[in-house]
Amino acid sequence: MQTNFTLAQLADPETARSEHILRKCVHCGFCTATCPTFVLLGDERDSPRGRIYFIKSMLEGDRAPTASEVKHVDRCLSCLSCMTTCPSGVHYMHLVDHGRHHIEERFKRPLPDRLMRGLLAWLMPRPALFRWTMMLGRLAKPLATMLPAGSADPGGATFLHRLRAMLEAVPDRLAGPSPVDRPQTFPALGLRRKRVALMPGCGQQVLAPEVNEATVRLLTRHDIEVVNVAGSGCCGSSVLHVGRNDEAMALARRNIAAWMREIDGAGLDAIVINASGCGTTVKDYGAMFANDPEWRERAEQVARLAKDVSEVMLEIGLANVTARPLTVAYHSACSMQHGQKVIEQPKKLLRDAGFVVKDVPEGHLCCGWAGTYQVLQPELSRRLRDRKVANIESLGPDVIAAGNFGCIGNIASGTGIPIAHTVELLDWATGGPKPAALQ
Ligand code: SF4
Ligand code: SF4
């Protein structure tokens, strides 16, 4: 694609990177067919190619985006299905992150929209505050039915639509803080084979504390020492996806500093991540700090060590398996399959654990969770969830597995089939407790 940036514009490293990305796009449109919003809406402006044109235009023009451009970029899930499909290697993730940052800096959203996005960006990285908000949300949840359910314009949600989606997303039961999520070291049960840091995350600690608990049991049982490093926490993706790049980088720096202390101290073989959305972001820390001479090297070192828990477990191999003869529909989260390209490892482990594993039809399409998307674009999110659930139910599985807590909560809200994190099933098959969803 031809571009028309001035030399002064290209002096900005973020613009230079976007120009490089844009020049790779050959307008072929292959990506449209696998884009969930294009599949739903059939509008070129809601396809990757359409969004690429919008972002190119606003960046080249060095101007505020129009309301229409913002609407179509906002509808993007950041599922990265387009990156898997693109034959030209267009790095859409970096481009849309730049586009969102530009929108955040140059476009004045209506006040309710700003308040909602500001609230989400403030709460999501702070587990303690997020937990209190969830507890208040449980009290207010019965009021959700009094709020408007959906917008006639898909993706044209108002503040009240979003408030309803936010209340509906509040879980009916909320576990207390897990002792696992405090900084500490969990020794390997046998002779130590690896020493890893477990990324504690943020929202998962509140909504699914059982995932870190199962991960610690699974890893230590396989002779891996696990450290929950003081100072590590939110990866920054929840604020990055609403265009707040500076806040995302501040969170990333905190993690990098914390893990580097550990790397330079007792050493780490890997940084284990069990929420694939966070994994995609941490693996990209090197690119995030590519233009920062002070942090670049450390960011690259951390990114190289970042691994999904399934990658580490496949290296080690499962031991002492008690086969569980259940049929598992494996939902590959977008961030797992498109973001990290971790595709076969979780399925291989589940098969090694004795499960019968089935792929979900239309598995490349997002389930509609996509972080804050579930709240900010409730109508599109619900349609994608319902489509995902119908595809899963067509398999008639005993249980659904996924490697991202957000997908798990979202899919669970639309089906009666039990759903668990992949590590919970692996933990159960190797001596841990039965996942709560199956009891
Ligand atoms: S990231 Fe997903 S929703 Fe966004 S343009 Fe690409 S395929 Fe479409
Ligand atoms: S598939 Fe790649 S090259 Fe083709 S239009 Fe989409 S982003 Fe551009």
Side-chain angles (χ1 to χ4, degrees):
M1 180 182 284
Q2 197 178 17
T3 56
N4 291 297
F5 290 97
T6 64
L7 286 176
Q9 285 175 312
L10 293 175
D12 168 44
E14 200 179 7
T15 304
R17 183 174 76 174
S18 291
E19 197 243 6
H20 181 70
I21 297 168
L22 287 165
R23 291 183 81 86
K24 283 192 163 181
C25 176
V26 294
H27 323 255
C28 65
F30 287 170
C31 52
T32 55
T34 59
C35 170
T37 54
F38 183 79
V39 168
L40 285 187
L41 304 171
D43 185 334
E44 173 78 14
R45 294 170 301 173
D46 289 308
S47 77
R49 189 168 57 178
R51 293 181 180 117
I52 287 170
Y53 277 119
F54 287 142
I55 295 169
K56 174 181 188 289
S57 172
M58 66 177 87
L59 294 180
E60 276 181 346
D62 198 13
R63 60 169 175 81
T66 65
S68 169
E69 287 170 336
V70 172
K71 175 166 127 176
H72 295 293
V73 174
D74 278 356
R75 285 178 179 172
C76 170
L77 295 134
S78 277
C79 70
L80 310 181
S81 175
C82 48
M83 283 181 62
T84 298
T85 314
C86 177
S88 299
V90 171
H91 205 304
Y92 177 84
M93 179 174 105
H94 289 162
L95 187 67
V96 79
D97 284 347
H98 188 187
R100 290 204 172 106
H101 188 211
H102 184 85
I103 289 171
E104 185 67 14
E105 304 255 289
R106 305 289 289 271
F107 183 74
K108 190 158 185 189
R109 295 176 184 274
L111 181 64
D113 199 5
R114 270 184 282 149
L115 287 175
M116 177 65 78
R117 297 169 81 88
L119 181 69
L120 289 170
W122 186 62
L123 282 177
M124 294 290 283
R126 297 174 171 81
L129 275 175
F130 186 53
R131 179 181 299 282
W132 277 106
T133 312
M134 287 289 120
M135 286 158 72
L136 290 175
R138 280 177 59 198
L139 298 176
K141 194 171 178 177
L143 303 177
T145 51
M146 295 163 70
L147 297 169
S151 163
D153 171 18
T158 65
F159 178 77
L160 292 180
H161 294 125
R162 289 171 176 152
L163 193 58
R164 177 172 178 145
M166 200 186 239
L167 290 175
E168 284 177 345
V170 173
D172 294 328
R173 287 187 308 119
L174 205 59
S178 170
V180 161
D181 290 325
R182 289 197 289 268
Q184 61 198 293
T185 299
F186 304 92
L189 291 191
L191 194 60
R192 190 174 92 185
R193 296 165 77 185
K194 278 184 191 288
R195 184 171 194 273
V196 304
L198 174 63
M199 176 161 204
C202 51
Q204 180 175 270
Q205 285 186 30
V206 180
L207 299 174
E210 64 278 7
V211 177
N212 281 349
E213 291 169 357
T215 304
V216 168
R217 285 193 302 265
L218 181 69
L219 293 174
T220 52
R221 191 182 304 123
H222 286 83
D223 304 333
I224 301 174
E225 182 171 294
V226 181
V227 201
N228 183 335
V229 181
S232 61
C234 173
C235 66
S237 62
S238 54
V239 284
L240 188 67
H241 291 166
V242 290
R244 299 184 173 212
N245 294 25
D246 294 342
E247 290 170 43
M249 288 173 85
L251 290 165
R253 273 190 210 98
R254 240 185 76 153
N255 286 332
I256 293 167
W259 288 326
M260 282 309 299
R261 281 193 294 275
E262 202 64 37
I263 292 166
D264 293 338
L268 290 176
D269 296 307
I271 296 163
V272 170
I273 302 169
N274 56 20
S276 59
C278 311
T280 303
T281 301
V282 178
K283 287 181 177 183
D284 201 49
Y285 276 180
M288 194 186 268
F289 290 95
N291 302 307
D292 184 331
E294 192 190 337
W295 287 87
R296 183 177 55 222
E297 219 171 282
R298 285 176 282 172
E300 283 170 356
Q301 197 173 347
V302 161
R304 275 196 300 274
L305 283 176
K307 298 269 184 285
D308 184 72
V309 59
S310 63
E311 294 178 278
V312 173
M313 279 311 301
L314 199 60
E315 266 176 43
I316 290 282
L318 295 179
N320 300 320
V321 168
T322 305
R324 309 289 181 188
L326 296 181
T327 299
V328 177
Y330 175 69
H331 163 71
S332 189
C334 299
S335 41
M336 190 78 88
Q337 59 171 318
H338 304 305
Q340 299 187 50
K341 303 282 186 276
V342 172
I343 295 164
E344 291 304 322
Q345 295 91 327
K347 292 190 284 185
K348 166 96 172 62
L349 285 165
L350 287 167
R351 284 193 195 100
D352 290 350
F355 296 102
V356 176
V357 181
K358 291 192 175 176
D359 287 318
V360 177
E362 291 191 325
H364 62 285
L365 290 182
C366 180
C367 72
W369 180 67
T372 51
Y373 196 91
Q374 187 190 27
V375 171
L376 295 174
Q377 304 285 341
E379 180 65 17
L380 289 172
S381 173
R382 188 190 51 74
R383 286 170 66 181
L384 286 169
R385 184 205 62 187
D386 292 348
R387 189 169 176 139
K388 180 64 70 184
V389 164
N391 276 317
I392 290 172
E393 289 182 345
S394 73
L395 299 172
D398 299 307
V399 59
I400 308 161
N404 199 40
F405 75 99
C407 309
I408 291 172
N410 186 40
I411 293 170
S413 70
T415 182
I417 300 171
I419 177 163
H421 194 289
T422 307
V423 291
E424 290 184 271
L425 294 176
L426 299 178
D427 177 42
W428 179 38
T430 56
K434 195 173 191 178
L438 285 168
Q439 285 172 2

